[in-house]
Amino acid sequence: MTSPAHPHGPAPAAGPALVVRADRGAVLVVPADDVAAAPRRVALDRDGLVPQPDGTRVPPTVGDVVDVAVPDVAGPDGAGPDGDAPPRVAVLHPRRTALVRDSADRTSLAQVMAANVDVVLVVEHLDPDPDLGRVERLLTLAWRSGATPVVVLTKADLVPDPAGMAAEVAAVALGVDVHTVSVPTGDGLDPLRALLRPGVALVAVGPSGAGKSTLVNALAGREVMATGERRADGRGRHTTTHRELVPLADGAVLVDTPGIRGVGLVADEDALDATFADVAALAARCRFRDCAHGTEPGCAVREALATGELAERRYDSWRRLAKEAAWHAQRTDARLAAEERARRRRATRDYHRDVRARP
Ligand SMILES: Nc1nc2c(ncn2[C@@H]2O[C@H](COP(=O)(O)OP(=O)(O)O)[C@@H](O)[C@H]2O)c(=O)[nH]1
Ligand SMILES: [Mg+2]
Ligand SMILES: [Zn+2]
């Protein structure tokens, strides 16, 4: 860049920036190659969206990589310095992975909770008892993201047999590493620290109170996130209210998330098959390809339920998530069809206006 230093605003951005936090009207970014730098604020356009390379605009999210452009010091007409032109997000880099949840939002059906993460930590407490259905739901979410799921069972210090409980969870977390940890004793933290290689991005998901922020602080080695400890003045609690990406040791970064209550799944058969590989393998052995596992003859799923090879709880959980994913897919199809109709109507209207406007 040949222009002189900017007189007021920040220096022109050099290289891609990493979004460490996305708020309604602005993002906080750090240089992608210096994630421990102090974040700076870049205001968003009025629609709160950022452009993708194909021109479509989407809401930015934590973990996104963007190019920030600082307008030329000379004005557009070359008439001299324009000291007030703020930096803006010029383009969003394509997302390598995306952790997506169903959204009740009226303008979109899916919300990207975090982008470009490599590892999804599915955090669940051992006390009270872990909720296997919730683990299955979050694993499906994780598989769909394209990142690698890892289960972290917290509060091992509060139960007599953490290993036995971990084995029960591992039985429903096929192909996924399951770790038990205790932050107060430090037990089990080393295998997680081994995941924190330079450039690796992780996200912690799980219910409120599972110990996500406590774990993030332990991995960061300092108090980066507020946790559910009661405040000294006894008023209320500190809780995580927003998603935020924090730098850990060695250049790894981790996104803490607020406790998610009943995260809606977005459709993805592959993700369901990954989470429920056992059920999928059974279903593939049914006599009929489109077996509904009801009263069809030669149903391998019903057979496995009868012999106890497949647990009723596991089967019900799979059914529920599959139904939910199908429902989301249907809703998305309806929404896309409506958007396409609206787009055609607008194009037709613009065309007629242009025709009328012609001399
Ligand atoms: N005994 C014990 N308590 C923990 C552990 N991890 C977290 N906690 C406590 O659990 C509560 C919720 O933790 P927090 O990190 O805020 O949960 P979050 O909502 O998932 O972020 C806090 O009181 C923590 O001190 C642990 O390994 N052992
Ligand atoms: Mg928290
Ligand atoms: Zn069947």
Side-chain angles (χ1 to χ4, degrees):
M1 199 168 279
T2 52
S3 52
H6 199 280
H8 305 293
L18 178 65
V19 175
V20 298
R21 181 168 163 178
D23 291 330
R24 204 173 280 281
V27 288
L28 291 181
V29 299
V30 293
D33 61 1
D34 184 14
V35 293
R40 66 191 191 111
R41 189 175 181 279
V42 179
L44 295 171
D45 293 339
R46 203 201 281 277
D47 62 5
L49 307 177
V50 297
Q52 300 185 102
D54 68 358
T56 57
R57 298 169 66 82
V58 294
T61 194
V62 62
D64 268 330
V65 179
V66 297
D67 287 341
V68 176
V70 178
D72 275 344
V73 173
D77 51 0
D82 175 9
D84 296 327
R88 49 180 298 279
V89 175
V91 70
L92 176 77
H93 292 216
R95 291 168 174 155
R96 262 186 313 113
T97 67
L99 190 68
V100 183
R101 69 181 290 183
D102 190 7
S103 160
D105 200 306
R106 282 177 46 232
T107 54
S108 67
L109 288 165
Q111 181 197 12
V112 182
M113 299 167 63
N116 303 318
V117 291
D118 305 286
V119 176
V120 179
L121 299 176
V122 173
V123 182
E124 178 72 22
H125 44 62
L126 289 172
D127 179 40
D129 280 351
D131 180 332
L132 298 181
R134 180 162 56 209
V135 171
E136 288 164 335
R137 170 178 295 269
L138 293 176
L139 282 176
T140 308
L141 195 84
W143 282 122
R144 189 193 189 282
S145 72
T148 304
V150 171
V151 174
V152 181
L153 301 170
T154 60
K155 313 192 184 186
D157 54 289
L158 298 182
V159 295
D161 181 21
M165 294 174 94
E168 276 173 42
V169 175
V172 307
L174 306 175
V176 176
D177 286 344
V178 176
H179 299 280
T180 58
V181 302
S182 163
V183 170
T185 69
D187 283 347
L189 288 175
D190 279 342
L192 290 181
R193 290 201 179 99
L195 295 171
L196 311 179
R197 289 185 305 275
V200 170
L202 307 89
V203 61
V205 297
S208 179
K212 296 179 296 298
S213 298
T214 304
L215 183 68
V216 171
N217 289 341
L219 294 176
R222 65 207 155 89
E223 294 288 302
V224 282
M225 297 307 302
T227 65
E229 292 294 4
R230 286 204 86 80
R231 292 188 344 187
D233 60 10
R235 286 195 293 136
R237 284 160 167 272
H238 288 303
T239 44
T240 315
T241 55
H242 53 267
R243 295 188 301 278
E244 188 166 316
L245 185 146
V246 297
L248 302 178
D250 296 330
V253 293
L254 202 158
V255 181
D256 191 11
T257 61
I260 31 187
R261 224 172 304 160
V263 210
L265 273 191
V266 295
D268 188 313
E269 214 171 308
D270 289 348
L272 272 166
D273 283 356
T275 306
F276 294 93
D278 50 346
V279 185
L282 285 168
R285 297 213 313 261
C286 293
R287 186 176 306 165
F288 299 108
R289 257 193 92 98
D290 61 348
C291 185
H293 321 305
T295 53
E296 293 90 339
C299 173
V301 171
R302 293 229 70 84
E303 238 167 69
L305 285 168
T307 61
E309 183 197 341
L310 176 62
E312 287 282 351
R313 190 212 60 78
R314 177 85 168 158
Y315 176 68
D316 290 344
S317 179
W318 171 72
R319 282 289 266 231
R320 196 167 41 244
L321 292 177
K323 220 159 113 181
E324 187 178 319
W327 179 74
H328 185 271
Q330 224 171 52
R331 221 161 39 112
T332 305
D333 286 350
R335 168 72 62 92
L336 289 177
E339 278 172 8
E340 178 56 18
R341 278 196 300 278
R343 195 193 59 75
R344 272 202 305 269
R345 261 199 309 276
R346 270 197 310 275
T348 310
R349 188 196 57 207
D350 292 352
Y351 172 76
H352 287 303
R353 199 180 44 214
D354 288 352
V355 168
R356 278 197 303 275
R358 270 178 209 156

